[in-house]
Amino acid sequence: SKLKVEYVNTVKTGGLKIQKKAAEDETLTGTYTFKVTFSDVGGAGLEKKPIEKPVTIDMSQGNTGTITGIPVGTRYTIEEVETSDGSTLQSVTVPDGQYAHVIGKTMVEGEIVESNNPNDLEVTAIFTNTKRKLINIEFNKLWEDADGTDLSTKKPPDTIYIQLQRRLKTEEDWKPVNYPADSKKDY
């Protein structure tokens, strides 16, 4: 008689849960697509190139998207790549206790850890979008006296604080910005 031996290997797995959130006092109704890139799969690094998997969140169906069954030790990045409603990424956060961190305010990078309950994953990353128009403000701090004398050698302070102010075109007084504020007014 012949003896048949069967081996079953099991891989410990975990998952990712991406949450889409609206900025304070806003509602999001669109569809959001994220690019999730996996590398060093299972901590073995045998793949020839990183593996990309899109995750789509349709806010009419809920505000989370998940991927399960990912081998423990796999490295990943998550970034938002498309929105259907014209909203803009306002912030990216990682809840406490996750093996992940935010890169450059737009991406999350981390490592998969074993899930105790794949059906009840904790949120890995929260991507918050706003429909308000966002602007970048750049400035240079010059260490000069009012007459143009260079003060940079006079031991400038270690830290300075900037207060953004604005006023309505019809007003004379400038007021500190209380963000988020009403974006419909003509500032």
Side-chain angles (χ1 to χ4, degrees), residues 12 14-16 35-47 49-53 67 69-79 94 98-103 107-114 124:
K12 291 183 178 181
L16 295 173
K35 180 174 78 172
V36 181
T37 305
F38 297 104
S39 60
D40 196 21
V41 175
L46 300 176
E47 68 279 356
K49 61 181 184 174
I51 299 164
E52 291 183 5
K53 178 159 179 59
I67 303 175
I70 308 164
V72 168
T74 302
R75 306 271 325 148
Y76 64 85
T77 60
I78 309 168
E79 58 187 315
V94 174
Q98 297 297 314
Y99 288 85
H101 58 278
V102 177
I103 304 286
M107 182 186 302
V108 171
E109 178 182 71
E111 182 177 334
I112 297 297
V113 295
E114 187 174 1
T124 305

Short mmCIF file of all heavy atoms in Angstrom, two decimals, residues 12 14-16 35-47 49-53 67 69-79 94 98-103 107-114 124:
data_model
loop_
_atom_site.label_atom_id
_atom_site.label_comp_id
_atom_site.label_asym_id
_atom_site.label_seq_id
_atom_site.Cartn_x
_atom_site.Cartn_y
_atom_site.Cartn_z
N LYS A 12 -0.04 33.41 9.12
CA LYS A 12 -0.73 34.37 9.96
C LYS A 12 -1.01 35.61 9.12
O LYS A 12 -0.14 36.08 8.39
CB LYS A 12 0.11 34.72 11.19
CG LYS A 12 0.25 33.57 12.16
CD LYS A 12 1.01 33.97 13.38
CE LYS A 12 1.10 32.81 14.35
NZ LYS A 12 1.81 33.15 15.57
N GLY A 14 -3.27 39.52 8.61
CA GLY A 14 -3.89 40.70 9.21
C GLY A 14 -4.62 41.45 8.12
O GLY A 14 -4.85 40.93 7.03
N GLY A 15 -4.99 42.68 8.41
CA GLY A 15 -5.73 43.44 7.42
C GLY A 15 -5.58 44.94 7.62
O GLY A 15 -4.95 45.41 8.57
N LEU A 16 -6.15 45.68 6.68
CA LEU A 16 -6.15 47.14 6.71
C LEU A 16 -7.59 47.63 6.68
O LEU A 16 -8.43 47.05 5.99
CB LEU A 16 -5.45 47.72 5.48
CG LEU A 16 -3.98 47.46 5.30
CD1 LEU A 16 -3.53 47.97 3.94
CD2 LEU A 16 -3.20 48.15 6.39
N LYS A 35 -4.80 54.03 -3.36
CA LYS A 35 -3.83 53.07 -3.87
C LYS A 35 -3.10 52.50 -2.67
O LYS A 35 -2.45 53.23 -1.92
CB LYS A 35 -2.84 53.74 -4.82
CG LYS A 35 -1.81 52.77 -5.38
CD LYS A 35 -0.92 53.40 -6.44
CE LYS A 35 0.13 54.26 -5.80
NZ LYS A 35 1.14 54.76 -6.74
N VAL A 36 -3.23 51.19 -2.48
CA VAL A 36 -2.51 50.50 -1.42
C VAL A 36 -1.40 49.70 -2.09
O VAL A 36 -1.65 48.91 -3.00
CB VAL A 36 -3.44 49.57 -0.61
CG1 VAL A 36 -2.68 48.88 0.51
CG2 VAL A 36 -4.64 50.34 -0.06
N THR A 37 -0.16 49.95 -1.65
CA THR A 37 1.00 49.28 -2.24
C THR A 37 1.64 48.39 -1.19
O THR A 37 1.95 48.85 -0.10
CB THR A 37 2.03 50.33 -2.74
OG1 THR A 37 1.37 51.23 -3.63
CG2 THR A 37 3.19 49.66 -3.45
N PHE A 38 1.80 47.11 -1.53
CA PHE A 38 2.40 46.14 -0.62
C PHE A 38 3.82 45.79 -1.08
O PHE A 38 4.06 45.63 -2.28
CB PHE A 38 1.57 44.85 -0.58
CG PHE A 38 0.18 45.05 -0.06
CD1 PHE A 38 -0.90 45.06 -0.91
CD2 PHE A 38 -0.04 45.23 1.30
CE1 PHE A 38 -2.18 45.24 -0.44
CE2 PHE A 38 -1.32 45.42 1.78
CZ PHE A 38 -2.40 45.43 0.91
N SER A 39 4.72 45.65 -0.11
CA SER A 39 6.08 45.21 -0.41
C SER A 39 6.57 44.35 0.75
O SER A 39 5.95 44.32 1.81
CB SER A 39 7.02 46.41 -0.62
OG SER A 39 7.06 47.20 0.55
N ASP A 40 7.66 43.64 0.55
CA ASP A 40 8.22 42.75 1.57
C ASP A 40 7.13 41.83 2.12
O ASP A 40 6.95 41.69 3.33
CB ASP A 40 8.87 43.58 2.70
CG ASP A 40 9.80 42.74 3.56
OD1 ASP A 40 10.24 41.68 3.10
OD2 ASP A 40 10.05 43.13 4.71
N VAL A 41 6.34 41.22 1.21
CA VAL A 41 5.18 40.40 1.58
C VAL A 41 5.59 39.30 2.55
O VAL A 41 6.52 38.53 2.29
CB VAL A 41 4.48 39.82 0.34
CG1 VAL A 41 3.35 38.89 0.74
CG2 VAL A 41 3.96 40.95 -0.55
N GLY A 42 4.90 39.25 3.67
CA GLY A 42 5.17 38.25 4.69
C GLY A 42 6.53 38.40 5.34
O GLY A 42 7.00 37.50 6.02
N GLY A 43 7.17 39.54 5.11
CA GLY A 43 8.50 39.76 5.66
C GLY A 43 9.57 39.02 4.88
O GLY A 43 10.74 39.01 5.26
N ALA A 44 9.18 38.38 3.77
CA ALA A 44 10.13 37.58 2.99
C ALA A 44 10.70 38.34 1.80
O ALA A 44 11.78 38.02 1.33
CB ALA A 44 9.46 36.29 2.51
N GLY A 45 9.97 39.31 1.31
CA GLY A 45 10.47 40.13 0.20
C GLY A 45 10.73 39.37 -1.08
O GLY A 45 11.68 39.65 -1.79
N LEU A 46 9.89 38.39 -1.43
CA LEU A 46 10.13 37.57 -2.61
C LEU A 46 9.51 38.14 -3.89
O LEU A 46 9.81 37.66 -4.98
CB LEU A 46 9.58 36.15 -2.38
CG LEU A 46 10.20 35.41 -1.19
CD1 LEU A 46 9.53 34.06 -1.00
CD2 LEU A 46 11.70 35.24 -1.39
N GLU A 47 8.64 39.15 -3.75
CA GLU A 47 7.99 39.71 -4.94
C GLU A 47 9.01 40.50 -5.76
O GLU A 47 9.92 41.12 -5.21
CB GLU A 47 6.79 40.58 -4.56
CG GLU A 47 7.12 41.86 -3.83
CD GLU A 47 7.38 41.69 -2.34
OE1 GLU A 47 7.25 40.57 -1.79
OE2 GLU A 47 7.75 42.69 -1.71
N LYS A 49 8.28 43.09 -7.81
CA LYS A 49 7.96 44.50 -7.72
C LYS A 49 6.80 44.66 -6.73
O LYS A 49 6.07 43.69 -6.47
CB LYS A 49 7.60 45.08 -9.10
CG LYS A 49 6.41 44.45 -9.76
CD LYS A 49 6.16 45.08 -11.11
CE LYS A 49 4.87 44.50 -11.72
NZ LYS A 49 4.49 45.15 -12.94
N PRO A 50 6.62 45.85 -6.18
CA PRO A 50 5.53 46.05 -5.22
C PRO A 50 4.17 45.70 -5.84
O PRO A 50 3.96 45.82 -7.04
CB PRO A 50 5.61 47.55 -4.90
CG PRO A 50 7.02 47.93 -5.21
CD PRO A 50 7.42 47.05 -6.37
N ILE A 51 3.27 45.24 -4.99
CA ILE A 51 1.93 44.84 -5.42
C ILE A 51 0.97 45.98 -5.09
O ILE A 51 0.94 46.46 -3.95
CB ILE A 51 1.49 43.56 -4.67
CG1 ILE A 51 2.46 42.42 -5.00
CG2 ILE A 51 0.06 43.19 -5.01
CD1 ILE A 51 2.37 41.25 -4.05
N GLU A 52 0.21 46.43 -6.09
CA GLU A 52 -0.74 47.53 -5.87
C GLU A 52 -2.16 47.00 -5.88
O GLU A 52 -2.51 46.15 -6.70
CB GLU A 52 -0.58 48.60 -6.96
CG GLU A 52 0.72 49.35 -6.86
CD GLU A 52 0.84 50.46 -7.91
OE1 GLU A 52 -0.14 50.70 -8.65
OE2 GLU A 52 1.91 51.07 -7.97
N LYS A 53 -2.96 47.49 -4.94
CA LYS A 53 -4.37 47.10 -4.87
C LYS A 53 -5.20 48.35 -4.60
O LYS A 53 -4.97 49.04 -3.62
CB LYS A 53 -4.57 46.08 -3.76
CG LYS A 53 -6.04 45.67 -3.61
CD LYS A 53 -6.18 44.37 -2.91
CE LYS A 53 -7.61 43.94 -2.72
NZ LYS A 53 -8.39 43.79 -3.91
N ILE A 67 -9.08 45.54 3.46
CA ILE A 67 -8.39 44.45 2.78
C ILE A 67 -8.00 43.48 3.88
O ILE A 67 -7.38 43.87 4.87
CB ILE A 67 -7.12 44.92 2.05
CG1 ILE A 67 -7.42 46.02 1.04
CG2 ILE A 67 -6.45 43.74 1.35
CD1 ILE A 67 -6.17 46.61 0.39
N GLY A 69 -6.63 39.24 4.96
CA GLY A 69 -5.83 38.12 4.47
C GLY A 69 -4.43 38.49 4.02
O GLY A 69 -3.84 37.80 3.20
N ILE A 70 -3.89 39.58 4.55
CA ILE A 70 -2.54 40.02 4.16
C ILE A 70 -1.53 39.36 5.11
O ILE A 70 -1.69 39.44 6.33
CB ILE A 70 -2.42 41.56 4.29
CG1 ILE A 70 -3.56 42.25 3.53
CG2 ILE A 70 -1.07 42.02 3.78
CD1 ILE A 70 -3.74 43.71 3.92
N PRO A 71 -0.50 38.68 4.57
CA PRO A 71 0.47 38.02 5.45
C PRO A 71 1.14 39.00 6.43
O PRO A 71 1.51 40.12 6.06
CB PRO A 71 1.49 37.44 4.47
CG PRO A 71 0.75 37.30 3.18
CD PRO A 71 -0.21 38.44 3.15
N VAL A 72 1.25 38.56 7.68
CA VAL A 72 1.90 39.36 8.72
C VAL A 72 3.34 39.67 8.31
O VAL A 72 4.03 38.82 7.75
CB VAL A 72 1.86 38.60 10.07
CG1 VAL A 72 2.76 39.26 11.09
CG2 VAL A 72 0.43 38.53 10.59
N GLY A 73 3.77 40.89 8.58
CA GLY A 73 5.13 41.33 8.24
C GLY A 73 5.19 42.09 6.93
O GLY A 73 6.22 42.70 6.60
N THR A 74 4.09 42.08 6.16
CA THR A 74 4.05 42.80 4.88
C THR A 74 4.06 44.30 5.14
O THR A 74 3.37 44.80 6.02
CB THR A 74 2.76 42.42 4.11
OG1 THR A 74 2.75 41.01 3.89
CG2 THR A 74 2.69 43.15 2.78
N ARG A 75 4.87 45.03 4.39
CA ARG A 75 4.91 46.50 4.48
C ARG A 75 3.88 47.06 3.53
O ARG A 75 3.59 46.47 2.48
CB ARG A 75 6.29 47.03 4.11
CG ARG A 75 7.44 46.44 4.87
CD ARG A 75 7.86 47.06 6.15
NE ARG A 75 7.74 48.50 6.22
CZ ARG A 75 7.46 49.15 7.34
NH1 ARG A 75 7.24 48.51 8.45
NH2 ARG A 75 7.39 50.46 7.35
N TYR A 76 3.31 48.22 3.86
CA TYR A 76 2.31 48.82 2.98
C TYR A 76 2.37 50.34 3.02
O TYR A 76 2.87 50.93 3.98
CB TYR A 76 0.89 48.36 3.35
CG TYR A 76 0.47 48.82 4.73
CD1 TYR A 76 -0.10 50.08 4.93
CD2 TYR A 76 0.63 48.00 5.83
CE1 TYR A 76 -0.46 50.51 6.19
CE2 TYR A 76 0.27 48.42 7.09
CZ TYR A 76 -0.28 49.67 7.27
OH TYR A 76 -0.64 50.10 8.51
N THR A 77 1.85 50.95 1.96
CA THR A 77 1.58 52.39 1.95
C THR A 77 0.15 52.57 1.46
O THR A 77 -0.34 51.77 0.66
CB THR A 77 2.53 53.19 1.04
OG1 THR A 77 2.40 52.72 -0.30
CG2 THR A 77 3.97 53.09 1.49
N ILE A 78 -0.52 53.61 1.95
CA ILE A 78 -1.88 53.94 1.53
C ILE A 78 -1.89 55.41 1.14
O ILE A 78 -1.43 56.25 1.91
CB ILE A 78 -2.91 53.74 2.66
CG1 ILE A 78 -2.79 52.36 3.31
CG2 ILE A 78 -4.33 53.99 2.15
CD1 ILE A 78 -3.59 52.22 4.60
N GLU A 79 -2.42 55.72 -0.05
CA GLU A 79 -2.56 57.11 -0.45
C GLU A 79 -3.85 57.28 -1.25
O GLU A 79 -4.25 56.40 -2.01
CB GLU A 79 -1.35 57.59 -1.25
CG GLU A 79 -1.05 56.81 -2.49
CD GLU A 79 0.26 57.24 -3.15
OE1 GLU A 79 0.50 58.45 -3.26
OE2 GLU A 79 1.02 56.35 -3.53
N VAL A 94 -3.49 58.53 11.95
CA VAL A 94 -3.41 57.12 12.30
C VAL A 94 -3.80 57.01 13.77
O VAL A 94 -3.17 57.65 14.62
CB VAL A 94 -1.97 56.58 12.08
CG1 VAL A 94 -1.84 55.17 12.60
CG2 VAL A 94 -1.59 56.67 10.62
N GLN A 98 -1.68 51.69 16.28
CA GLN A 98 -1.45 51.10 14.97
C GLN A 98 0.05 51.03 14.67
O GLN A 98 0.81 51.86 15.13
CB GLN A 98 -2.15 51.93 13.88
CG GLN A 98 -3.65 51.97 14.02
CD GLN A 98 -4.27 50.59 13.87
OE1 GLN A 98 -3.93 49.83 12.97
NE2 GLN A 98 -5.17 50.26 14.76
N TYR A 99 0.45 50.03 13.90
CA TYR A 99 1.84 49.90 13.47
C TYR A 99 2.01 50.66 12.16
O TYR A 99 2.31 50.08 11.13
CB TYR A 99 2.21 48.42 13.31
CG TYR A 99 2.34 47.70 14.62
CD1 TYR A 99 1.22 47.18 15.26
CD2 TYR A 99 3.58 47.59 15.24
CE1 TYR A 99 1.33 46.54 16.48
CE2 TYR A 99 3.70 46.94 16.46
CZ TYR A 99 2.57 46.42 17.07
OH TYR A 99 2.69 45.80 18.28
N ALA A 100 1.73 51.96 12.23
CA ALA A 100 1.76 52.79 11.03
C ALA A 100 2.05 54.23 11.42
O ALA A 100 1.89 54.60 12.58
CB ALA A 100 0.41 52.71 10.31
N HIS A 101 2.46 55.03 10.44
CA HIS A 101 2.66 56.46 10.67
C HIS A 101 2.38 57.22 9.37
O HIS A 101 2.38 56.65 8.29
CB HIS A 101 4.06 56.75 11.21
CG HIS A 101 5.17 56.28 10.32
ND1 HIS A 101 5.63 54.99 10.31
CD2 HIS A 101 5.89 56.93 9.39
CE1 HIS A 101 6.60 54.85 9.42
NE2 HIS A 101 6.78 56.02 8.84
N VAL A 102 2.13 58.51 9.54
CA VAL A 102 1.80 59.37 8.40
C VAL A 102 3.10 59.89 7.78
O VAL A 102 4.01 60.30 8.48
CB VAL A 102 0.91 60.56 8.86
CG1 VAL A 102 0.62 61.49 7.69
CG2 VAL A 102 -0.38 60.04 9.47
N ILE A 103 3.15 59.87 6.45
CA ILE A 103 4.30 60.37 5.70
C ILE A 103 3.85 61.59 4.90
O ILE A 103 2.91 61.50 4.10
CB ILE A 103 4.82 59.30 4.70
CG1 ILE A 103 5.17 58.00 5.40
CG2 ILE A 103 5.99 59.83 3.89
CD1 ILE A 103 6.43 58.03 6.18
N MET A 107 0.12 60.39 3.08
CA MET A 107 0.26 58.95 2.91
C MET A 107 0.48 58.27 4.26
O MET A 107 1.02 58.87 5.18
CB MET A 107 1.48 58.70 2.00
CG MET A 107 1.74 57.24 1.69
SD MET A 107 3.29 56.99 0.76
CE MET A 107 3.02 57.99 -0.68
N VAL A 108 0.07 57.02 4.35
CA VAL A 108 0.30 56.22 5.55
C VAL A 108 1.21 55.06 5.17
O VAL A 108 1.04 54.45 4.11
CB VAL A 108 -1.03 55.69 6.14
CG1 VAL A 108 -0.77 54.68 7.24
CG2 VAL A 108 -1.86 56.84 6.67
N GLU A 109 2.18 54.78 6.03
CA GLU A 109 3.11 53.68 5.81
C GLU A 109 3.10 52.82 7.07
O GLU A 109 3.05 53.35 8.18
CB GLU A 109 4.50 54.24 5.56
CG GLU A 109 5.57 53.19 5.36
CD GLU A 109 6.94 53.82 5.16
OE1 GLU A 109 7.48 54.37 6.13
OE2 GLU A 109 7.43 53.76 4.03
N GLY A 110 3.14 51.50 6.90
CA GLY A 110 3.13 50.64 8.08
C GLY A 110 3.45 49.20 7.75
O GLY A 110 3.87 48.86 6.64
N GLU A 111 3.22 48.36 8.75
CA GLU A 111 3.48 46.92 8.64
C GLU A 111 2.28 46.16 9.16
O GLU A 111 1.69 46.52 10.18
CB GLU A 111 4.72 46.56 9.45
CG GLU A 111 5.11 45.11 9.35
CD GLU A 111 6.39 44.79 10.12
OE1 GLU A 111 7.22 45.70 10.30
OE2 GLU A 111 6.54 43.63 10.55
N ILE A 112 1.91 45.09 8.45
CA ILE A 112 0.75 44.29 8.83
C ILE A 112 1.08 43.46 10.08
O ILE A 112 2.13 42.82 10.15
CB ILE A 112 0.32 43.35 7.68
CG1 ILE A 112 -0.12 44.15 6.47
CG2 ILE A 112 -0.78 42.39 8.13
CD1 ILE A 112 -1.33 45.02 6.67
N VAL A 113 0.17 43.50 11.05
CA VAL A 113 0.28 42.67 12.24
C VAL A 113 -0.93 41.73 12.27
O VAL A 113 -1.93 41.97 11.60
CB VAL A 113 0.35 43.52 13.53
CG1 VAL A 113 1.62 44.34 13.57
CG2 VAL A 113 -0.87 44.40 13.68
N GLU A 114 -0.82 40.67 13.05
CA GLU A 114 -1.88 39.65 13.08
C GLU A 114 -3.18 40.23 13.62
O GLU A 114 -3.21 40.93 14.63
CB GLU A 114 -1.44 38.47 13.94
CG GLU A 114 -2.41 37.31 13.88
CD GLU A 114 -1.89 36.08 14.62
OE1 GLU A 114 -0.78 36.13 15.19
OE2 GLU A 114 -2.61 35.07 14.62
N THR A 124 -7.07 51.57 10.49
CA THR A 124 -5.64 51.74 10.28
C THR A 124 -5.30 53.20 10.01
O THR A 124 -4.34 53.73 10.53
CB THR A 124 -5.17 50.89 9.07
OG1 THR A 124 -5.56 49.54 9.28
CG2 THR A 124 -3.68 50.98 8.88
#
